[in-house]
Amino acid sequence: DWNQTWYTNTPRFTWCFESTVIAWMPCAYLWICFPFYLLYLRHKNKGYIRMSYIFKTKMVLGFILVTVCFSNVFFALWEINQGIPRAPAFFVSPAVVGITMILAMFLTQVERMMGIQSSGILLIYWLLSFVAAVVMFSSKVQHALERGFLEDHFRHVTTYLYASLVLGELVLFCLVDHSPFFSRAVNNPNQCPEASSSFLSKITYWWFSGLVWKGCQQSLGGDDLWPVRKEDSSEEIVAWAEREWKQCHSRTQHFLIVSFFRKMESATFKKGQKSETGIAEAEETEVLLQSEHSQSGPLLKTFWSMFGTYFLLGTVCLVICDVFLFSIPKLLSLFLEFFEDQEAPSWHGYFYAFTMFLLACLQTLFEQRYMYMCLVLGLRLRTAVTGLVYRKILVMSNASRKAATVGEIVNLVSVDVQKLMDLIIYFNGTWLAPVRIIICFVFLWQLLGPSALTSIAVFLFLLPLNFMITKKRSHFQETQMKHKDERAKLTNAILSDIKVIKMYGWEKAFMEKVLGIRKEELQALKRSQILFSASLASFHSSTFLIAFVMFAVYTLVDNTHVLDAQKAFVSLTLINILNTAHSFLPFSINAAVQAKVSLNRLAAFLNLEELKPEGWSRNTSECGELLLQASITIRNGTFCWSKETSPCLRRIDLTVPQGSLLAVVGQVGAGKSSLLSALLGELEKMDGCVTMKDTAAYVPQQAWIQNASVEDNILFGKEMDETWFNRVIDACALQPDLESFPAGRKSEIGEKGINISGGQKQRVNLARAVYQKASIYLLDDPLSAVDAHVGQHIFEHVLGPNGLLKDK
């Protein structure tokens, strides 16, 4: 009844509306969320929470609420039995509310068993229930003031009790429960407080205030920061990314092979029919060309399968934010109408003002949640891509190493990953900004009529210019990244050979070469940014032009058109939203263009040829029965460094018995190191079979040293075994060296082992391999860099019949 609810100085809802719509809204919300939330809880088992005082109080209050609801049901049935006429809503609504309360208690128990410390779903339910209780409470108070309390004292008392209990439940659900048992996060005293904070604290970011307050009191250090959450750690994300990438990549390769053979069969069939005309040959060529598939497809599917759901949740937050954003101009229009209507009740103004404030707060809440989710997703994406690139480096074939330089790889994990992170924030602008623009035009049409068409004309006039700018910028982006790769490659080469360059005085020549490439890179960047500035200028000027032309046409086209406060302020609000969409659109298009280039570069790198694991086998039956006694076997092996080159090793037959020491002797270039590379699987196997039993350790001819301590170089990630470590140190003749170092085994080795000698590098290299306790040791001239007496010591204590590797 609008006369009772809106057009009055004392607004209230009818009893029928309160007992049905108001009472059932929280119930409908919880029953709709129930199946999805239950499915979510089953996949989020974090242990269980023991019964705390908070949980017990929740259950006691819930039990009392259920009792109150069903007492209303029994009281209504008793009244009907006494002959007092009552509508069905008097017992149906309390029953529905009571059953929903039982469902809420059930979900509270399930959350405790699944280790959920704070529930957003139930908090919103109790908030809606409290709003409904406040409406009914105020209605009962007005009824008591007008007609007296004793007319229906039972329902008055139950309503007041119900509102108080619901308020208690709402307060309890704002609090956070104990940490669950069997949770790894509990063992860390400095864990990130977000995981254990309440839902209210999460959406307002109050959990972060502790660190801010600590930073106000003292300078923050590395120890003050929280460790990375498990779901954001590289250990979790990189392993997950590798699994998804292998699945998507293998599915795509299988699809391409199947489609390729089908097309080849079709082309072969046509060749038999049309071989005289030569059409079939052209069709076979077309088949080969069609088999080229977009390399970025599997990578995009990998990212979507990993982060798609989380990204869609962020998109939902942004859409809800836009709903609130466009509700504010409508309320502003009603607010300005209220000022012009002298007969409108005064409470309308307070209502409009409060609603506008509430919508602005909710809009900010959802917008910041979207930004937070995008930044977290960007961090996870960076971790995944960096991990995939790093693991790809470890398995690249020799041909791939020629195709991808160190500079290109550095750019992949520094520049291209950043472009993908930017895309996450700006991607929704590519479709949401045009939707905002269209809605703004529709609202302007409703306000100003056909005059709003002039704004569309101005916008469409500037649109082709921006599309042309975007296309040109994409070309400049590719050119810039090409020069950046060249510069990084050249800089890496200069730094690697800086001693030679300084000795011959070539600094100026190489500097000019780097600056020349840098100049071309800056030229491409400058042109791209000039076009981007032109795009921004056109969008910002279009906003002013739209407002100017639209208001001018509206006032000049008809003398009856008056630009009053309502039309002016609401139009300016809509134009402000239009300005935001206009400024967001070029950033979104720019991010999409740059991310497309970066995605193609990443996909091209990840699709490079890898070392084939079938190059060598652990299967004892593959090379015959001799393998039962042999650790290493090669049968008729032919190997090459890449498929494009000729074989470097031909018809190799080799059997190494278990526990034997074998030396391969030959002149320089005979292929000794190539033989070891073939055993490691780093050469392309063209023919034959290679089999190695168990694990292998490799000592290269040129020692590889980490920029870490001597101890870390030897342990190489394994746990410390003090006894074995000391035996390895003594056997490799490193004890005198450790005593001469300033910090002993903890002494830091410089980049590429710059502060130790060649012999020390080789002995650290050898000690690292010995410490691993592998079954097979492949040593590429390990004694070449050491003195004769040191070599004798190493042979006796490491390699010889009484050495540490005597059974290897």
Side-chain angles (χ1 to χ4, degrees), residues 424-580:
I424 291 174
I425 297 176
Y426 292 113
F427 175 76
N428 283 309
T430 55
W431 66 272
L432 201 56
V435 171
R436 285 181 180 178
I437 292 168
I438 292 170
I439 295 174
C440 285
F441 285 146
V442 170
F443 283 2
L444 288 171
W445 174 278
Q446 293 175 353
L447 274 173
L448 304 177
S451 302
L453 289 174
T454 55
S455 60
I456 301 176
V458 174
F459 181 75
L460 292 178
F461 176 74
L462 296 169
L463 207 57
L465 173 67
N466 288 284
F467 278 117
M468 188 175 67
I469 289 174
T470 302
K471 187 176 180 181
K472 198 70 178 172
R473 286 199 69 215
S474 176
H475 171 69
F476 286 137
Q477 168 76 8
E478 292 179 1
T479 306
Q480 180 201 346
M481 293 305 298
K482 179 183 175 184
H483 292 313
K484 191 185 286 288
D485 290 343
E486 290 178 5
R487 181 169 57 85
K489 178 183 177 182
L490 181 60
T491 305
N492 182 70
I494 291 172
L495 292 174
S496 300
D497 303 310
I498 191 67
K499 290 181 180 178
V500 178
I501 293 171
K502 297 288 281 184
M503 184 174 69
Y504 287 101
W506 290 340
E507 299 97 324
K508 190 174 180 181
F510 277 97
M511 188 192 305
E512 290 175 355
K513 199 166 186 179
V514 172
L515 290 176
I517 299 174
R518 176 66 174 159
K519 186 178 179 181
E520 293 179 359
E521 181 188 344
L522 286 174
Q523 194 70 22
L525 181 63
K526 182 180 178 181
R527 291 173 181 173
S528 177
Q529 289 304 110
I530 288 172
L531 291 175
F532 184 55
S533 302
S535 176
L536 277 179
S538 68
F539 272 106
H540 285 295
S541 61
S542 67
T543 306
F544 166 75
L545 287 173
I546 286 170
F548 176 75
V549 172
M550 190 170 56
F551 286 149
V553 170
Y554 179 75
T555 52
L556 295 175
V557 76
D558 195 338
N559 293 329
T560 60
H561 288 175
V562 179
L563 195 64
D564 55 8
Q566 181 189 354
K567 289 186 177 65
F569 282 111
V570 176
S571 297
L572 287 173
T573 305
L574 290 169
I575 289 173
N576 190 34
I577 298 173
L578 193 65
N579 182 24
T580 306

Side-chain angles (χ1 to χ4, degrees), residues 259-470:
S259 60
F260 173 74
F261 279 113
R262 285 178 180 172
K263 290 175 182 178
M264 285 297 292
E265 287 176 5
S266 175
T268 306
F269 175 72
K270 291 177 181 178
K271 182 177 180 180
Q273 294 180 331
K274 305 176 182 180
S275 57
E276 295 180 0
T277 60
I279 297 176
E281 284 79 358
E283 289 183 350
E284 285 183 13
T285 306
E286 185 182 355
V287 167
L288 292 170
L289 292 174
Q290 288 176 352
S291 66
E292 291 293 330
H293 189 67
S294 174
Q295 287 185 325
S296 60
L299 187 60
L300 205 57
K301 290 177 183 176
T302 300
F303 292 152
W304 180 256
S305 62
M306 290 178 66
F307 309 122
T309 305
Y310 195 80
F311 180 75
L312 287 177
L313 287 174
T315 304
V316 169
C317 289
L318 190 60
V319 170
I320 295 173
C321 166
D322 276 18
V323 171
F324 293 136
L325 179 68
F326 283 104
S327 301
I328 292 174
K330 284 295 182 183
L331 277 171
L332 179 62
S333 178
L334 295 172
F335 191 48
L336 294 171
E337 278 184 12
F338 161 75
F339 283 111
E340 297 175 0
D341 188 0
Q342 301 297 328
E343 298 179 357
S346 60
W347 68 269
H348 283 191
Y350 294 106
F351 174 75
Y352 289 137
F354 174 75
T355 308
M356 286 172 63
F357 171 74
L358 182 64
L359 289 179
C361 291
L362 291 173
Q363 177 207 337
T364 304
L365 195 71
F366 279 97
E367 185 178 17
Q368 296 309 313
R369 193 68 200 172
Y370 167 73
M371 290 300 297
Y372 175 75
M373 294 177 76
C374 284
L375 291 172
V376 170
L377 191 56
L379 175 70
R380 293 175 180 174
L381 181 64
R382 173 185 280 277
T383 306
V385 173
T386 306
L388 285 175
V389 170
Y390 176 72
R391 295 196 176 191
K392 179 70 177 182
I393 295 169
L394 301 179
V395 295
M396 287 170 61
S397 66
N398 292 290
S400 300
R401 292 180 191 279
K402 295 178 183 178
T405 62
V406 175
E408 291 173 349
I409 295 170
V410 170
N411 282 335
L412 286 177
V413 295
S414 59
V415 179
D416 292 296
V417 174
Q418 186 62 45
K419 303 300 181 188
L420 294 179
M421 291 175 66
D422 294 340
L423 179 68
I424 291 174
I425 297 176
Y426 292 113
F427 175 76
N428 283 309
T430 55
W431 66 272
L432 201 56
V435 171
R436 285 181 180 178
I437 292 168
I438 292 170
I439 295 174
C440 285
F441 285 146
V442 170
F443 283 2
L444 288 171
W445 174 278
Q446 293 175 353
L447 274 173
L448 304 177
S451 302
L453 289 174
T454 55
S455 60
I456 301 176
V458 174
F459 181 75
L460 292 178
F461 176 74
L462 296 169
L463 207 57
L465 173 67
N466 288 284
F467 278 117
M468 188 175 67
I469 289 174
T470 302

Side-chain angles (χ1 to χ4, degrees), residues 188 539 658 698 718:
N188 191 346
F539 272 106
Q658 191 170 356
Y698 174 57
K718 293 195 75 174

Side-chain angles (χ1 to χ4, degrees), residues 102-136:
I102 295 173
L103 177 64
M105 292 172 65
F106 168 73
L107 285 176
T108 306
Q109 171 67 10
V110 173
E111 285 179 345
R112 184 182 73 84
M113 299 302 293
M114 296 297 175
I116 305 296
Q117 296 175 259
S118 180
S119 171
I121 296 290
L122 289 179
L123 178 64
I124 295 172
Y125 165 71
W126 288 113
L127 181 62
L128 293 174
S129 298
F130 178 69
V131 172
V134 168
V135 171
M136 290 186 284

Side-chain angles (χ1 to χ4, degrees), residues 10 70 112 217 439 466 476 510 626 633 636 670 710 727-728:
T10 56
F70 281 103
R112 184 182 73 84
Q217 295 175 320
I439 295 174
N466 288 284
F476 286 137
F510 277 97
L626 288 173
T633 302
N636 195 29
V710 178
R727 288 184 64 192
V728 170

Side-chain angles (χ1 to χ4, degrees), residues 63 95-96 120 403 438 534 723:
F63 179 75
V96 171
I438 292 170
T723 306

